[in-house]
Amino acid sequence: EEEDEEMIALTQEECQSSAQQLLQLSQKYELSTLLSGPYDNSPCRLVLTAGAGGTEACDWVNMLYRMYSRHATYMDYTVRVVDESA
């Protein structure tokens, strides 16, 4: 019975290791599939507009800008503000 328990433990470890490897490979495949289009190496332009809503709308746009620019910096993208109005 001890041999059976050891075999079960080894099999469980192998299954967990294989599942982890499969998960990592599937994530790499998903990313490569998502970034394989003809325009994926092209720059992106993002327009954030507050619209109607006064100070709260402006604050919301400022929060969005901060979020997007931080994420872009984290991803080693270049951020350039073309036009900004108060």
Side-chain angles (χ1 to χ4, degrees), residues 44-51 57-70 79-86:
C44 169
R45 180 172 290 200
L46 182 64
V47 178
L48 300 172
T49 307
C58 290
D59 290 345
W60 176 246
V61 168
N62 287 331
M63 286 187 274
L64 286 175
Y65 170 74
R66 186 171 179 219
M67 178 189 69
Y68 281 121
S69 61
R70 283 183 167 198
V79 176
R80 183 174 58 135
V81 177
V82 176
D83 184 29
E84 184 178 353
S85 59

Side-chain angles (χ1 to χ4, degrees), residues 24-37 40 75 77:
Q24 290 173 352
L25 288 172
S26 68
Q27 288 172 345
K28 286 181 184 179
Y29 176 74
E30 181 181 17
L31 183 61
S32 69
T33 304
L34 291 173
L35 299 177
S36 62
D40 288 332
M75 299 298 290
Y77 298 143

Side-chain angles (χ1 to χ4, degrees), residues 3-16:
E3 288 181 15
D4 288 341
E5 290 177 10
E6 288 178 22
M7 199 62 160
I8 290 172
L10 287 173
T11 304
Q12 286 176 340
E13 288 177 22
E14 281 185 38
C15 286
Q16 288 176 347

